[in-house]
Amino acid sequence: MTIGAVIAGYAALRTVPSLLPEKLELEALDRPKGFRRFIAGETSGSFDAFVGLDSPDSVDVAARKAAAIERVSADICGALYGDLDMSNARIPLASFSDYYCPFCRVQTKSFADMTSKMPDQVAIAWHELPLLGDSSNLAAKAALAAKRQGAYVAFQERLMTSPFQATPEYLARLSEDLGVDGEQLVADMESPEVARELENSAALAQVFAFVGTPALVIGRTVVQGQVSDRMIRKIIDLEREEGWDLACVSA
Amino acid sequence: MKGAVSQIWAGLLSIVLGCVIILAAAGADAAESESVSNPAVTARLISAENGIAPDAASVSLGLALEYGEGWKGYWRTPGEVGLAPEINWSGSTNLKSAELLWPAPERFEAFGIENFGYSGQVVLPIRARLEDAGQPLELRARVSLLTCSTVCVPHDFELSLALPQGVGIDTNSARQIATYADRVPAVPENSDIRISVTALDARDSALIVVATSDTPFDEVDVFPEFGPLVTFGKPDIRLDRDRTELWAQIPINAWTEEHAEPSVTIADTARAITAPITLTSDPPAPPFSSANPRTSLLKVVAVAAIAFLGGLILNVMPCVLPVLSIKLTSVLKATGQTRQMTRNGFLFSALGVLAFVWALAAVLLFLQWIGVSVGWGMQFQNPVFVTLMFMVITVFAANLFGAFEITLPAALQDRLGASNARAGYISDFGTGLLAAILATPCSAPFLGTAITFALAGTSLDVIVIFTALGLGLALPYLVIAARPELVTRLPRPGRWMLLVRILLGGLLLATAAWLLFVLVGVAGGRAAAFITSLTAVFIVAASIPQANQWVRRAVLSACVFLAIFGAGLTSTPDRTTPGVDATSHWQDFEPLGIARRVSEGETVFVDVTADWCLTCKANKSLVLDRDPVRARLRGGSVIAMQADWTRPDDNIARFLERYDRYGIPFNIVFGPGSPSGIALPEILTPQAVLDALDTASVRSLVSE
């Protein structure tokens, strides 16, 4: 009897929490129009709109930021999903992450896994949102520069698993490892195109009022923080049912 | 009288009112900033002084942080990822310098990333110096800090606090600052913790720290700081018996030679020390067993129940089944036994089982006490033990095949008063003993948990749980002892008994063959051949009917004597045939490389096995060496490590101990998704292995 109870109790403890259904609650957003937000416990609290860690902006920087916000607001879906190929009824995902945010590492891997497992159902656009200081900025720029040489994913993979902070020396070694032209990489890192890409991602983060990373937009649903794969699949299904491009049409 | 009462009341009332007014005044004057608050963190700047006293050149400040439920912030060294809080004081007036002090951090582990920081409440004390002593201070602090729960939210806010000229202490703030200032690690001169060695273990890619303390360590942790380019995994911390000596091995995940001022922080429950260190390259060996937590009574009872069940299950494991055959034959042979005799016989067998588990518990406790690492089934690592077991089982098998009759020496029989029954009881006792001994290499399901728990607990835990285990193992004997008539249901002796004897003899021979195989692993082929020939001589000597009694006895004793000493002498020092060959997908076991490999995104499967572990063999042939698991382990996406524990190995024993295991089989999967490892059950299933590999590994990011 006792043994049975012990075993049953243990089994229940192990399995029950994962069996409890997660609730899929959505809340329409005022801005940007047509989008909605997944309500996930603690992350849906009242944070100030996204702030970032940079020091107070100079006039020049402020102007560039304002321009970026205007730019992405004019075509939100375009800015979010870029030139993703959405034929074959694929649902687009936009992932915003920072290489030095612990949960981003987990979440990014899980998205990458998901896209490789069901390539006919989802397509993913990666956005660099470096919020955590110099190393984050450096790593984000390096990944975007590597993208210009077709090595974004390889760089992303290595940076995500790197156990230490990115430094110029580390990036040089990394490009050598991955067969990327190091000089070109450094040049691209400081290029206006990379800067513009970062500005766009930051502007999108501001438009969607992200409080931090990781953040995700699935079709027209905004998800903040790390959520289970199961929930993401649920949202993907919902987007497919209801038509994710509603937001893009109305925008 | 009435007047006196009302006077007292009035007095009390005025005291209460007075207090309220004082409190209100203190509140109004409280030396703290307005607070910035959101679900992740509430932050305030506090000051111990209400005002700047004349001639005061410094002031004690604090950044009071209260993290929301589930949120955490970071230490000055955040770990692999994360960001330490920063304060920019520009815009303050009359501030010369402000030094942020860091209370000892907590260790957080999420998805394999080791982070150091704070949760709940913390005050970061700030030592501020004034430009002009005694003049008012205006503070403007621009605070940047990172908080993470399932999302990482950076915060960037400003706190301001003005301290006019004046005197007075904000007791509340002063107390808070003092509390956390106490938790700031002391400098070596002011602490009873001394770091004696910090060595780089290049071979194992780990940092070794040795420290001593006058007062015993309690909940201790070690945080090395080597700058942002060096990161470490989770430390393996060991304390000696009286907990005043500490040895820690911290795996290195990333390393560079450039680190300006390396330091090590040792944090104990109520004290901490940060000391600059000098690295040596001469790592001292691990001296102690690891510190184990104490356990509750309820848990002991629950685990005892599991041990009982585990013992019961052991009866049907391949190790014990042959012994039941010995017992069964003895029952079959004994015709015309009384009910009482049968009952006593089985009771003696049960006692034999218990005697062994108690003896084992005593030996284990003794070994633990003298500081030897112990494990379930480890006696099979001893060539002398395996030799004796092999001889006993082979002789029993020969007996079953009718080579000779086992009789106790005449002298012993005489001393027992010629009572056949009593001599029988001794052999019954021996049967139980043998069953229990042979049961040890079969770590059945449940049993691993129970033994592990017992060995990690107190002496009493060990005795209670081993007794429960023995009772479980002895239950079949106890059942027959309770209902001896069950035996009488067996058919009358006849030809069928001959068949049963041969069948059971076959089982024993198979066991003997397995023991020989173990012996080859433990002592080498030469020793095994030597022991086999000795055993053959023994059996031949025993089965020649005409032999002189004295000669026979001399030969038999010589065989046993030679076997015991020969096993040790002839055994080869190293395994000539290691379990891991060059062409296999199994690699050598390197426990300290695991953290580094995982941090590089690789998945590692560890199989701890031994020749004497039958369950390990079953796992190997039924699951690990069979598709789809074999294909997965060979596929290149997983590093498969095999740790062979056939012979004693400190590295393996320590590895098991770190995961609170004392017996094998032990299989565990590490990967980016499970850096602290997913331990698999003793009996593997392909699905369990594949699931664990899936959870642990993170598929390549390639193919968008």
Side-chain angles (χ1 to χ4, degrees):
Chain A
M1 265 317 275
T2 329
I3 301 162
V6 168
I7 295 166
Y10 180 70
L13 269 176
R14 285 292 291 269
T15 49
V16 166
S18 61
L19 294 179
L20 289 178
E22 274 178 292
K23 269 197 277 180
L24 176 51
E25 272 184 75
L26 297 168
E27 177 186 74
L29 288 175
D30 293 340
R31 202 179 76 109
K33 261 182 84 160
F35 285 86
R36 56 195 177 180
R37 192 172 65 131
F38 169 63
I39 302 171
E42 51 193 82
T43 56
S44 45
S46 54
F47 282 97
D48 296 340
F50 162 69
V51 277
L53 278 180
D54 36 7
S55 41
D57 297 332
S58 65
V59 179
D60 182 35
V61 172
R64 289 228 312 271
K65 279 192 173 173
I69 288 181
E70 207 166 301
R71 202 160 59 223
V72 301
S73 302
D75 176 15
I76 290 205
C77 289
L80 265 184
Y81 301 127
D83 38 358
L84 284 186
D85 170 25
M86 249 79 72
S87 53
N88 308 324
R90 292 203 290 183
I91 302 294
L93 268 65
S95 157
F96 293 79
S97 64
D98 181 310
Y99 290 109
Y100 296 96
C101 135
F103 293 91
C104 300
R105 295 192 161 195
V106 181
Q107 190 79 331
T108 303
K109 283 166 193 159
S110 134
F111 291 158
D113 197 20
M114 198 176 287
T115 42
S116 64
K117 262 190 196 155
M118 32 191 227
D120 308 335
Q121 295 177 49
V122 290
I124 193 156
W126 302 106
H127 289 266
E128 299 294 339
L129 189 58
L131 302 176
L132 306 182
D134 295 342
S135 290
S136 290
N137 271 317
L138 201 61
K141 281 186 192 168
L144 291 176
K147 184 158 131 188
R148 266 109 192 121
Q149 299 186 42
Y152 180 78
V153 172
F155 251 70
Q156 188 193 39
E157 189 175 17
R158 290 289 288 270
L159 287 168
M160 280 286 174
T161 52
S162 152
F164 60 77
Q165 312 264 303
T167 57
E169 297 76 37
Y170 173 71
L171 293 173
R173 211 170 62 221
L174 190 56
S175 12
E176 207 175 298
D177 269 15
L178 298 175
V180 167
D181 181 343
E183 274 175 42
Q184 185 62 44
L185 187 88
V186 172
D188 283 339
M189 279 171 70
E190 297 311 322
S191 70
E193 290 79 23
V194 164
R196 195 181 156 99
E197 216 172 315
L198 286 173
E199 279 166 20
N200 281 0
S201 297
L204 280 171
Q206 193 130 26
V207 167
F208 282 100
F210 291 150
V211 296
T213 50
L216 176 68
V217 186
I218 307 169
R220 61 189 183 105
T221 304
V222 178
V223 180
Q224 177 76 72
Q226 200 238 344
V227 287
S228 69
D229 285 7
R230 199 186 318 186
M231 184 48 75
I232 289 173
R233 273 163 215 247
K234 252 190 195 172
I235 296 175
I236 291 172
D237 290 342
L238 191 73
E239 291 294 313
R240 182 170 297 114
E241 259 169 52
E242 297 184 354
W244 66 271
D245 46 357
L246 283 177
C248 298
V249 174
S250 66
Chain B
M1 193 66 199
K2 220 173 184 183
V5 170
S6 65
Q7 245 178 355
I8 291 170
W9 269 116
L12 274 179
L13 194 64
S14 70
I15 291 168
V16 170
L17 273 179
C19 290
V20 169
I21 289 163
I22 290 165
L23 281 174
D29 270 3
E32 59 177 60
S33 69
E34 75 289 6
S35 68
V36 167
S37 184
N38 59 41
V41 66
T42 299
R44 280 175 308 134
L45 202 56
I46 59 177
S47 166
E49 288 95 351
N50 276 328
I52 305 296
D55 299 328
S58 68
V59 56
S60 296
L61 306 172
L63 176 63
L65 300 170
E66 195 177 331
Y67 295 103
E69 177 86 33
W71 291 88
K72 52 188 180 284
Y74 297 88
W75 192 42
R76 64 178 172 220
T77 295
E80 253 172 54
V81 288
L83 194 69
E86 266 179 51
I87 305 180
N88 179 344
W89 297 98
S90 62
S92 304
T93 49
N94 197 24
L95 182 71
K96 187 174 172 192
S97 67
E99 187 195 350
L100 204 52
L101 305 177
W102 301 92
E106 299 169 53
R107 177 181 294 274
F108 303 114
E109 195 191 4
F111 305 103
I113 301 160
E114 297 275 323
N115 275 130
F116 320 122
Y118 310 105
S119 61
Q121 264 185 320
V122 70
V123 174
L124 305 180
I126 299 160
R127 210 180 290 153
R129 282 177 211 291
L130 308 181
E131 293 271 5
D132 293 316
Q135 295 303 304
L137 174 67
E138 265 180 55
L139 294 166
R140 199 168 291 274
R142 194 169 170 81
V143 182
S144 302
L145 69 96
L146 175 67
T147 56
C148 289
S149 65
T150 56
V151 56
C152 289
V153 179
H155 306 264
D156 199 0
F157 52 84
E158 201 169 87
L159 297 173
S160 52
L161 176 62
L163 293 174
Q165 278 177 317
V167 286
I169 296 291
D170 180 335
T171 45
N172 191 27
S173 296
R175 188 170 39 75
Q176 283 191 61
I177 294 171
T179 305
Y180 286 93
D182 271 352
R183 297 189 195 169
V184 173
V187 292
E189 301 81 65
N190 295 342
S191 174
D192 58 350
I193 301 176
R194 284 172 305 278
I195 296 177
S196 50
V197 182
T198 38
L200 200 58
D201 186 343
R203 191 179 59 89
D204 286 337
S205 159
L207 183 75
I208 311 279
V209 176
V210 178
T212 55
S213 162
D214 296 341
T215 45
F217 287 109
D218 189 21
E219 291 274 320
V220 68
D221 204 344
V222 181
F223 305 95
E225 292 175 273
F226 280 68
L229 298 185
V230 181
T231 55
F232 296 91
K234 202 178 173 62
D236 172 11
I237 297 176
R238 278 137 206 281
L239 300 174
D240 71 339
R241 183 144 296 277
D242 52 9
R243 305 180 76 90
T244 55
E245 270 189 70
L246 173 148
W247 177 93
Q249 185 177 44
I250 310 130
I252 295 170
N253 290 351
W255 182 255
T256 171
E257 292 298 329
E258 316 143 27
H259 26 76
E261 288 171 358
S263 72
V264 164
T265 296
I266 295 182
D268 197 16
T269 313
R271 55 186 182 150
I273 177 184
T274 296
I277 52 164
T278 326
L279 276 182
T280 68
S281 54
D282 185 21
F288 323 120
S289 60
S290 65
N292 286 310
R294 296 284 164 256
T295 42
S296 73
L297 179 68
L298 192 70
K299 202 161 176 212
V300 174
V301 172
V303 175
I306 292 173
F308 178 80
L309 193 69
L312 189 59
I313 292 173
L314 268 183
N315 279 299
V316 292
M317 298 302 274
C319 316
V320 187
L321 219 48
V323 186
L324 281 174
S325 69
I326 298 174
K327 184 68 203 154
L328 202 57
T329 336
S330 78
V331 171
L332 289 174
K333 273 195 288 184
T335 46
Q337 271 194 338
T338 65
R339 206 182 121 97
Q340 191 56 41
M341 278 169 76
T342 312
R343 165 171 291 167
N344 288 349
F346 279 93
L347 277 178
F348 267 95
S349 290
L351 197 63
V353 171
L354 283 174
F356 175 72
V357 294
W358 285 331
L360 190 62
V363 170
L364 291 179
L365 285 176
F366 176 75
L367 288 177
Q368 256 186 346
W369 185 68
I370 61 170
V372 175
S373 70
V374 289
W376 183 245
M378 265 173 79
Q379 65 273 29
F380 280 85
Q381 294 175 348
N382 182 334
V384 176
F385 176 83
V386 178
T387 297
L388 282 177
M389 291 311 299
F390 169 71
M391 293 186 81
V392 168
I393 293 293
T394 314
V395 168
F396 265 113
N399 167 248
L400 272 185
F401 285 118
F404 55 86
E405 290 294 318
I406 296 177
T407 48
L408 283 171
L412 189 58
Q413 280 197 17
D414 289 347
R415 207 175 313 147
L416 291 169
S419 154
N420 250 343
R422 248 195 256 171
Y425 293 157
I426 288 182
S427 90
D428 288 331
F429 182 84
T431 308
L433 203 61
L434 195 63
I437 293 172
L438 278 173
T440 48
C442 280
S443 182
F446 298 111
L447 205 57
T449 324
I451 299 297
T452 285
F453 177 86
L455 290 178
T458 61
S459 318
L460 189 65
D461 296 346
V462 172
I463 292 163
V464 167
I465 285 160
F466 273 72
T467 305
L469 162 68
L471 285 174
L473 188 55
L475 192 66
Y477 305 109
L478 290 171
V479 165
I480 298 184
R483 307 277 310 273
E485 54 275 15
L486 288 175
V487 174
T488 59
R489 300 255 176 92
L490 289 170
R492 297 274 107 206
R495 277 187 69 81
W496 69 272
M497 269 180 60
L498 209 63
L499 275 172
V500 170
R501 273 184 83 150
I502 289 172
L503 190 75
L504 298 179
L507 270 177
L508 279 184
L509 265 191
T511 312
W514 164 64
L515 283 167
L516 190 63
F517 172 70
V518 172
L519 194 60
V520 172
V522 172
R526 210 153 47 106
F530 175 64
I531 301 298
T532 314
S533 27
L534 274 181
T535 311
V537 172
F538 185 99
I539 292 170
V540 170
S543 45
I544 298 172
Q546 304 89 343
N548 176 298
Q549 195 64 21
W550 286 104
V551 172
R552 186 207 303 260
R553 214 171 281 172
V555 170
L556 295 186
S557 314
C559 282
V560 174
F561 181 84
L562 278 176
I564 290 174
F565 288 93
L569 290 176
T570 53
S571 65
T572 38
D574 277 311
R575 300 205 64 191
T576 43
T577 50
V580 182
D581 63 271
T583 54
S584 144
H585 54 283
W586 291 102
Q587 301 187 2
D588 284 336
F589 179 59
E590 292 174 66
L592 286 161
I594 294 172
R596 186 176 45 79
R597 285 161 184 269
V598 168
S599 75
E600 284 164 3
E602 295 189 272
T603 304
V604 181
F605 180 90
V606 179
D607 175 32
V608 184
T609 182
D611 286 350
W612 42 263
C613 166
L614 283 185
T615 317
C616 303
K617 299 279 167 215
N619 281 339
K620 192 167 154 54
S621 59
L622 297 178
V623 179
L624 299 178
D625 280 355
R626 210 177 260 200
D627 285 339
V629 173
R630 180 178 57 179
R632 186 72 181 276
L633 292 180
R634 278 190 177 175
S637 63
V638 177
I639 297 171
M641 286 186 187
Q642 196 165 62
D644 188 339
W645 209 31
T646 302
R647 292 181 173 200
D649 181 325
D650 265 358
N651 266 337
I652 296 174
R654 260 192 293 143
F655 179 77
L656 289 174
E657 209 179 310
R658 197 183 316 163
Y659 296 95
D660 276 340
R661 294 288 190 104
Y662 296 84
I664 55 174
F666 179 55
N667 294 276
I668 185 164
V669 185
F670 300 88
S674 68
S676 43
I678 302 172
L680 294 165
E682 274 90 356
I683 293 183
L684 296 177
T685 60
Q687 201 52 48
V689 177
L690 294 178
D691 285 351
L693 285 172
D694 279 339
T695 314
S697 69
V698 167
R699 243 21 106 53
S700 147
L701 299 184
V702 187
S703 85
E704 234 176 289

